[in-house]
Amino acid sequence: IIIMTLHLIKLNSIIQKYIEKPLLLESRKFDIRCYALIASTSPLLLLFHNGYARLSLNKYSLDDIEEKSAIFTHLTNNCIQKKHPDYNNFKESSIWSIEKLKVYLEENSILKTEDFSKTIELKIKRIIAYVCRAAYTRLEKKLGTFELLGFDFMVDESLKVFLLEANTNPAISTNTNCLKNVIPTVVNTTLDLVIKLHEQIESKNIEEYIKNIKSQKEIGTFEVLINETNQERL
């Protein structure tokens, strides 16, 4: 039966499996939006920002899967949740800082705060690094080229991390307090760093600057995942 079914699937089809037991926050589904900055492609410099958590406004249930309101239960995208009839009243609860997420996980005996970076965050970083390395051959190797990407991840009850998608031109709206704290920092740091890198291109000092990037203030709250100048890779 399986073989017969596969023959009916077109070669350009996408087969997806629903994450049946997602980890919940206050009985609500969530994902993690974080950022990857390809600050340079020649040499390759990849940075990471831990971002924030996005929650559905409806409590999680499989009973409403056929109803129109199911999108507010099962889709955690902020652009979807904005259409919820009570969004303006509860929008602050739809976006959590990573620090608030850590506190919730510890208070609910799910994961200790000090273990977050060694489990969930490490898995996220490794996936991002793998995806960017896989796409590297198709990136334009030109001095001054950069890209800010938004990566979305979901976590299940066993703390397994799933990559949902990688987005070019990620949303930078700041309609909640958490987003006001995160987005401007990400955008400003990105601009400060790429402008500084461009200055190094003109002075022909870019490789030396990138080699010592961790000591530069322009990196802000980003972390280095890949630094080709000194073979640093996650």
Side-chain angles (χ1 to χ4, degrees):
I1 296 175
I2 294 176
I3 294 176
M4 292 177 63
T5 302
L6 289 176
H7 278 304
L8 297 176
I9 298 174
K10 296 181 180 179
L11 292 178
N12 61 350
S13 298
I14 296 176
I15 302 175
Q16 296 178 311
K17 184 178 185 300
Y18 189 82
I19 300 173
E20 296 171 336
K21 296 183 178 181
L23 182 63
L24 303 178
L25 305 180
E26 296 181 347
S27 300
R28 295 180 288 157
K29 199 172 179 181
F30 79 99
D31 70 10
I32 297 175
R33 158 59 61 89
C34 51
Y35 298 94
L37 172 59
I38 302 175
S40 168
T41 57
S42 182
L44 178 61
L45 176 62
L46 176 65
L47 305 178
F48 166 80
H49 189 283
N50 60 8
Y52 53 90
R54 308 183 300 185
L55 290 74
S56 297
L57 290 179
N58 286 355
K59 289 188 176 182
Y60 181 74
S61 171
L62 293 176
D63 296 336
D64 67 348
I65 201 71
E66 299 295 332
E67 299 177 12
K68 290 184 178 180
S69 61
I71 60 172
F72 303 122
T73 303
H74 302 279
L75 300 181
T76 51
N77 311 54
N78 198 29
C79 63
I80 297 294
Q81 297 302 316
K82 284 181 179 179
K83 299 175 182 178
H84 193 287
D86 291 327
Y87 177 76
N88 288 331
N89 294 325
F90 299 102
K91 64 180 181 179
E92 294 296 340
S93 70
S94 70
I95 304 291
W96 286 15
S97 68
I98 295 300
E99 290 306 313
K100 182 175 180 178
L101 171 60
K102 291 178 183 178
V103 170
Y104 179 89
L105 295 178
E106 175 148 8
E107 289 181 346
N108 288 272
S109 302
I110 299 170
L111 182 66
K112 291 183 178 180
T113 299
E114 60 267 26
D115 292 332
F116 183 88
S117 61
K118 294 183 292 184
T119 54
I120 293 175
E121 198 163 83
L122 180 59
K123 293 173 186 176
I124 286 174
K125 291 177 182 178
R126 285 176 173 169
I127 292 172
I128 291 176
Y130 182 87
V131 169
C132 291
R133 282 199 296 264
Y136 183 63
T137 57
R138 301 186 66 179
L139 297 180
E140 185 178 11
K141 311 303 187 297
K142 182 179 179 181
L143 293 177
T145 300
F146 73 95
E147 183 77 55
L148 179 66
L149 302 169
F151 277 79
D152 300 334
F153 295 89
M154 190 162 287
V155 183
D156 70 8
E157 289 182 350
S158 63
L159 302 184
K160 183 177 180 180
V161 174
F162 297 84
L163 171 64
L164 298 180
E165 60 180 344
N167 303 270
T168 57
N169 301 318
I172 55 173
S173 61
T174 56
N175 58 320
T176 72
N177 289 328
C178 178
L179 292 176
K180 289 176 183 177
N181 290 329
V182 174
I183 300 298
T185 298
V186 169
V187 173
N188 290 335
T189 301
T190 296
L191 294 176
D192 289 344
L193 179 56
V194 297
I195 289 172
K196 190 66 176 182
L197 287 173
H198 187 75
E199 293 173 354
Q200 304 308 311
I201 293 171
E202 295 181 338
S203 64
K204 302 184 185 305
N205 193 40
I206 186 169
E207 287 204 13
E208 186 63 27
Y209 185 86
I210 290 178
K211 187 175 182 179
N212 300 298
I213 195 67
K214 287 184 177 180
S215 64
Q216 309 300 330
K217 64 180 181 179
E218 285 83 6
I219 194 174
T221 53
F222 277 85
E223 299 176 46
V224 176
L225 293 188
I226 300 177
N227 186 342
E228 196 175 47
T229 63
N230 55 19
Q231 286 76 53
E232 181 178 357
R233 292 173 179 266
L234 185 68

